[in-house]
Amino acid sequence: MNTTTEAFVDDLRDGVGALPRNCESLQFEEPWQGRVFGMALALAEAKSYPWESFRQSLIATIGTWDKSHAPDDETWNYYEQWLSAFETLVLDRGLVTTEEIDRRTEEFRTRSRDEVI
């Protein structure tokens, strides 16, 4: 990680937007959560977008969710917000198309991506 993304990850230790942690290590309940986290960091480090652009997308996504849900809504999932913010950003930047996202999602959902051809 470069210094900018390290600083951002370090800043996400407290509050509602804090990254889920267990004994100070990042905690992912499902493999896709770690993958989307890694993709967002990797693309920022590759200069596909400034890290601040992702951060602002995440803030906006969480804000939108908060406005449409009760504070005690148990459907809250931090990494679903992370994924939504990431998808919005890469679509807005033209890094992928909606069709590509839909195709990859279906491949992972059906595990057809893992098939050897």
Side-chain angles (χ1 to χ4, degrees), residues 3-116:
T3 308
T4 304
T5 51
E6 283 177 7
F8 175 70
V9 172
D10 285 344
D11 286 345
L12 291 175
R13 292 191 183 276
D14 300 311
V16 176
L19 291 168
R21 293 181 181 271
N22 182 10
C23 297
E24 291 304 308
S25 295
L26 292 178
Q27 179 177 332
F28 303 107
E29 293 176 3
E30 298 180 36
W32 71 265
Q33 295 171 342
R35 289 183 186 123
V36 73
F37 180 86
M39 287 188 295
L41 290 176
L43 286 175
E45 288 180 355
K47 308 261 189 266
S48 296
Y49 50 77
W51 185 250
E52 182 62 19
S53 294
F54 176 78
R55 187 169 110 39
Q56 290 302 317
S57 182
L58 181 58
I59 290 168
T61 300
I62 291 172
T64 299
W65 193 93
D66 283 345
K67 289 177 186 171
S68 62
H69 294 80
D72 59 348
D73 188 332
E74 293 182 12
T75 63
W76 166 259
N77 181 291
Y78 180 79
Y79 285 110
E80 285 180 13
Q81 305 311 308
W82 188 281
L83 176 60
S84 180
F86 180 64
E87 287 179 346
T88 297
L89 182 60
V90 296
L91 286 167
D92 289 349
R93 294 268 171 168
L95 300 174
V96 296
T97 65
T98 302
E99 293 77 20
E100 289 171 315
I101 290 176
D102 290 346
R103 180 177 52 81
R104 288 299 190 137
T105 300
E106 185 63 15
E107 287 173 355
F108 279 105
R109 190 185 70 71
T110 62
R111 295 185 178 207
S112 62
R113 180 177 162 91
D114 297 334
E115 294 176 2
V116 178

